[in-house]
Amino acid sequence: AFARPYGLPLELLPMNDPSALAVGDTLHLRVVGEGRAVAGIGVEYKAATDTLAAGAAPSTYTTVLADEGGVAHLPLTQAGPW
């Protein structure tokens, strides 16, 4: 259910269940454009750190490229929402 395409012009479809991941795991996203896998496209992501919280360091963006099959592999380096 979490990887169901909706037919949008560009979609990021999880290949593994995001709710089951922990720190150190990798989220694998299939990048689909116009219904086809998109190789070589950059996917930028970051942790959703609360920068207003006392002592919270601002999170930085990380960019990964989708492989030849159109899959971007996002390593999860910290707990919390992304």
Side-chain angles (χ1 to χ4, degrees):
F2 55 82
R4 189 176 98 192
Y6 287 90
L8 299 172
L10 182 66
E11 296 181 287
L12 301 175
L13 304 174
M15 297 180 67
N16 51 336
D17 184 352
S19 68
L21 299 176
V23 174
D25 290 341
T26 299
L27 174 61
H28 305 283
L29 296 175
R30 180 171 306 281
V31 183
V32 178
E34 305 283 326
R36 297 188 177 124
V38 180
I41 192 168
V43 175
E44 190 173 78
Y45 70 105
K46 74 174 193 150
T49 304
D50 181 359
T51 57
L52 299 178
S59 58
T60 58
Y61 285 96
T62 301
T63 302
V64 296
L65 295 179
D67 63 20
E68 61 280 347
V71 179
H73 308 278
L74 290 65
L76 303 179
T77 57
Q78 68 185 58
W82 286 77

